[in-house]
Amino acid sequence: DGGITQSPKYLFRKEGQNVTLSCEQNLNHDAMYWYRQDPGQGLRLIYYSQIVNDFQKGDIAEGYSVSREKKESFPLTVTSAQKNPTAFYLCASSPARGNQPQHFGDGTRLSIL
Amino acid sequence: QKEVEQDPGPLSVPEGAIVSLNCTYSNSAFQYFMWYRQYSRKGPELLMYTYSSGNKEDGRFTAQVDKSSKYISLFIRDSQPSDSATYLCAMTNYNTDKLIFGTGTRLQVFP
């Protein structure tokens, strides 16, 4: 059963702590994306990757980092430099660049302790 | 001005009504248009994917694109309480790496 798996579903971060959100896909998609969703603001792109070992900053990359060591995996680290991390984080993938629809996981809700 | 504008709602309709959801955009280069449905605490789910102008129908859903007016619509016929969700439009052109999303319209269908 192909899809995108995000974990954990809920995550709490203490002040000054880095946390890592997991995203795994078994759709054999080349491209993967991370979005942040806040109420009333839609989806904002954090980072994306078109190929293994390569990634680009999106519109709101400050305070976040990613890696793409395997095609299936695209973890997102929310660093202590991100001062307002409370949000719903969505991972997506697509077969190729640009015009292809993206398929989403069910998200991770990150909150500050 | 945002590249894609979408009325946030909420839009509240009775069961069985025809629903019209809309987005306007400013970039005439957009060629590919999508509608996603998002239930609370879930990821968006692709509903419709269309290219250029025209209509596309899938069951109770019809997507319509008017490139001359830079306006897209999603129609839902015989709406059901299970259609209650947030609907996001998204669009792009061939040479970009990104989808541009609307902010979403919240729809409530009451029995």
Side-chain angles (χ1 to χ4, degrees), chain A residues 33-80:
Chain A
Y33 307 81
W34 274 106
Y35 293 91
R36 172 179 170 140
Q37 188 174 36
D38 296 280
Q41 295 204 44
L43 299 178
R44 292 187 290 168
L45 183 63
I46 305 172
Y47 268 98
Y48 63 103
S49 168
Q50 301 291 338
I51 197 168
V52 174
N53 292 323
D54 190 36
F55 48 83
Q56 286 76 41
K57 292 182 180 179
D59 301 316
I60 55 163
E62 187 174 346
Y64 301 97
S65 66
V66 294
S67 63
R68 186 91 185 274
E69 296 175 2
K70 298 188 299 182
K71 187 176 184 177
E72 303 79 22
S73 178
F74 192 39
L76 173 74
T77 296
V78 184
T79 74
S80 57

Side-chain angles (χ1 to χ4, degrees), chain B:
Chain B
Q1 185 191 4
K2 291 182 180 177
E3 274 192 287
V4 178
E5 299 278 358
Q6 187 174 7
D7 189 327
L11 181 62
S12 187
V13 301
E15 185 174 355
I18 296 174
V19 175
S20 171
L21 303 165
N22 310 297
C23 287
T24 58
Y25 62 95
S26 57
N27 187 345
S28 58
F30 288 148
Q31 298 171 293
Y32 301 89
F33 304 92
M34 290 145 244
W35 285 97
Y36 288 84
R37 177 176 62 196
Q38 185 177 21
Y39 292 115
S40 182
R41 301 186 190 90
K42 292 286 192 180
E45 167 196 11
L46 181 67
L47 278 179
M48 303 289 278
Y49 173 53
T50 55
Y51 169 71
S52 196
S53 283
N55 292 359
K56 182 176 181 178
E57 190 173 316
D58 184 0
R60 296 185 295 111
F61 298 91
T62 299
Q64 192 172 79
V65 175
D66 182 349
K67 288 194 69 182
S68 61
S69 301
K70 299 192 187 73
Y71 189 89
I72 68 169
S73 299
L74 178 70
F75 297 97
I76 307 174
R77 288 183 300 281
D78 187 26
S79 56
Q80 302 295 308
S82 59
D83 295 326
S84 298
T86 297
Y87 290 80
L88 299 152
C89 64
M91 49 198 77
T92 189
N93 60 40
Y94 183 77
N95 290 324
T96 184
D97 296 325
K98 307 176 189 179
L99 292 184
I100 308 301
F101 286 87
T103 52
T105 299
R106 192 154 62 94
L107 171 67
Q108 296 170 337
V109 182
F110 56 90

